[in-house]
């Protein structure tokens, strides 16, 4: 049986699922894009090439190997975008939960069936169909589970709204001893700088009590303020809407003091080093064109 343990975002990583880009499929039609960033690059003719995506993922795999992290990959599905392994499932404590993602992406979930089948049956959960949820909206943080959500009446029309209230309630029911704290996120189908696709696009907790945050990613100022109070203003790196769209929040912690970040995030990476972090820089700008970055392409299975 596969051992699972994820209590937070920063404990020493031992095993992870990393997305793949082989057989990534043709450039989608505009109407097939499901986030404003991808759509903008489809329109501009700058949609990323498969070989560039493969190189970027390989760079992250090399960092994981440097830190002795076991890397698992989804099985390749022909002509299918499988970059974002965080969307399809997530682990909290020793339980693996299958995500209920956009209907036309369901086959991505089956690409990790061989991993799912190694998890003890009583540690596998599939939420009811009415619970829409993706792993980018779910952050275990010790006694808390932070969740991004959207509860506006126009939810059915917002393609960027991925986690609903039913899912928040379901996660609280599965983990009655945790405090589930949900945050209403700002959504836009058309403007990347106005769209927090997932919670990890506008907020990310780091080691050493630090965090990255974008105020305008939150619909309700009090919820943003709760996070500022929780971490302390002096521990928080605030980013602009352009930086949010570039995915500054979406870095990935290997441990309390090691962070993988994008090589072009100069302002952030300088700050991280000043806080005492080891920053492993990788090129990830092509993956960023699809509205996700390092946390989106990784799904931790085991942390110390």
């Amino acid at each position: 049986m596969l051992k699972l343990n994820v209590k937070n975002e920063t404990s020493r990583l031992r095993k992870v699922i990393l997305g793949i880009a082989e057989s990534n499929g043709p450039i989608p039609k505009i109407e097939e894009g499901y986030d404003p960033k991808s759509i903008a690059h489809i329109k501009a003719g700058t949609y990323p090439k498969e070989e560039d995506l493969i190189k970027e993922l390989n760079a992250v795999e090399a960092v994981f190997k440097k830190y002795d992290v076991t890397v698992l990959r989804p099985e390749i599905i022909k002509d299918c975008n499988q970059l974002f392994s965080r969307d399809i499932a997530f682990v909290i404590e020793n339980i693996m939960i299958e995500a209920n993602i956009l209907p036309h992406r369901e086959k991505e979930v089956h690409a990790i069936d061989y991993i799912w089948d190694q998890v003890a049956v009583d540690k596998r959960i599939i939420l009811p169909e009415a619970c829409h949820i993706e792993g980018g909206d779910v952050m275990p943080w010790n006694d808390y589970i932070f969740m991004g959500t959207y509860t506006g009446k126009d939810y059915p029309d917002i393609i960027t709204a991925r986690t609903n209230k039913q899912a928040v309630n379901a996660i609280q029911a599965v983990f009655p001893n945790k405090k589930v704290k949900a945050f209403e996120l700002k959504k836009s189908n058309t403007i990347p700088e106005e769209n927090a696709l997932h919670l990890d696009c506008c907020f990310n907790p780091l080691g050493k009590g630090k965090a990255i945050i974008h105020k305008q990613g939150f619909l309700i100022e009090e919820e943003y303020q709760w996070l500022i109070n929780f971490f302390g203003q002096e521990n928080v790196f605030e980013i602009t809407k352009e930086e949010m769209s570039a995915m500054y929040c979406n870095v990935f912690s290997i441990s309390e003091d090691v962070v993988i970040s994008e090589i072009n995030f100069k302002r952030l990476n300088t700050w991280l080093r000043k806080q005492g972090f080891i920053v492993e820089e990788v090129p990830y700008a092509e993956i960023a064109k699809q509205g996700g970055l390092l946390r989106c392409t990784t799904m931790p299975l085991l942390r110390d």
Side-chain angles (χ1 to χ4, degrees):
M1 283 291 119
L2 185 64
K3 189 184 174 199
L4 302 173
N5 185 52
V6 179
K7 292 182 177 158
N8 56 47
E9 295 288 311
T10 58
S11 292
R12 177 67 163 89
L13 183 70
R14 298 296 176 190
K15 191 170 285 187
V16 68
I17 301 173
L18 176 65
I20 54 170
E22 283 81 2
S23 196
N24 203 49
I27 296 171
K29 299 184 180 77
I30 289 168
E31 61 272 18
E32 292 171 341
Y34 43 77
D35 71 276
K37 193 108 184 258
S38 295
I39 291 166
H41 285 287
I42 295 166
K43 285 179 177 173
T46 51
Y47 196 78
K49 296 183 175 71
E50 186 177 296
E51 61 265 31
D52 294 331
L53 298 172
I54 291 169
K55 272 187 213 154
E56 291 186 347
L57 288 164
N58 286 347
V60 171
E61 185 168 29
V63 174
F64 284 142
K65 289 189 168 157
K66 174 180 171 181
Y67 287 91
D68 201 27
V69 175
T70 301
V71 179
L72 305 175
R73 310 297 289 268
E75 291 178 332
I76 295 169
I77 300 168
K78 190 172 183 308
D79 290 338
C80 179
N81 184 333
Q82 295 178 265
L83 292 177
F84 299 128
S85 58
R86 180 77 63 159
D87 287 353
I88 57 178
F90 53 91
V91 173
I92 301 175
E93 299 277 346
N94 61 351
I95 292 174
M96 191 171 189
I97 297 167
E98 186 180 287
N100 288 351
I101 64 174
L102 293 172
H104 64 278
R105 294 184 62 194
E106 279 172 8
K107 59 184 175 181
E108 286 178 57
V109 177
H110 296 299
I112 60 165
D113 279 351
Y114 81 97
I115 299 168
W116 176 261
D117 291 343
Q118 294 175 58
V119 177
V121 175
D122 63 341
K123 302 299 181 191
R124 304 190 308 219
I125 289 179
I126 300 175
L127 298 177
E129 206 172 312
C131 302
H132 302 166
I133 192 165
E134 290 184 356
D137 277 325
V138 184
M139 287 182 188
W141 194 247
N142 305 313
D143 295 335
Y144 285 88
I145 301 171
F146 299 142
M147 290 186 68
T149 189
Y150 182 75
T151 61
K153 287 194 176 69
D154 55 350
Y155 178 94
D157 305 316
I158 305 290
I159 56 166
T160 54
R162 302 295 173 80
T163 299
N164 62 9
K165 186 71 179 164
Q166 291 96 313
V168 173
N169 294 340
I171 293 295
Q172 182 66 82
V174 174
F175 299 98
N177 299 326
K178 299 272 188 189
K179 290 174 261 197
V180 174
K181 178 76 179 163
F183 302 90
E184 291 274 343
L185 303 182
K186 189 173 187 180
K187 302 291 181 181
S188 170
N189 283 351
T190 53
I191 306 166
E193 294 78 15
E194 302 289 332
N195 177 54
L197 186 65
H198 292 127
L199 181 59
D200 62 15
C201 295
C202 61
F203 163 69
N204 202 342
L206 305 167
K208 306 178 188 291
K210 310 294 179 185
I212 311 167
I213 200 162
H214 174 57
K215 182 178 182 178
Q216 279 76 40
F218 295 83
L219 270 182
I220 299 167
E221 186 163 347
E222 289 80 9
E223 293 180 355
Y224 152 82
Q225 199 58 52
W226 187 93
L227 283 169
I228 296 292
N229 296 341
F230 186 85
F231 286 91
Q233 184 73 64
E234 70 282 3
N235 295 313
V236 173
F237 184 81
E238 300 249 11
I239 63 169
T240 66
K241 65 181 183 179
E242 290 78 18
E243 288 170 338
M244 177 183 81
S245 180
M247 293 280 130
Y248 266 56
C249 276
N250 207 265
V251 298
F252 182 79
S253 295
I254 289 182
S255 68
E256 275 281 311
D257 50 12
V258 179
V259 178
I260 313 180
S261 181
E262 215 283 327
I263 198 164
N264 296 300
F265 293 174
K266 302 298 183 200
R267 194 172 83 86
L268 171 63
N269 296 346
T270 300
W271 178 83
L272 287 168
R273 289 190 175 105
K274 279 185 181 159
Q275 308 306 313
F277 290 97
I278 297 165
V279 182
E280 294 285 353
E281 293 185 343
V282 294
Y284 237 50
E286 294 303 305
I287 284 171
K289 289 177 178 180
Q290 295 190 36
L293 207 76
L294 289 148
R295 191 178 184 274
C296 298
T297 56
T298 50
M299 205 272 274
L301 297 170
L302 185 63
R303 291 184 183 269
D304 285 348

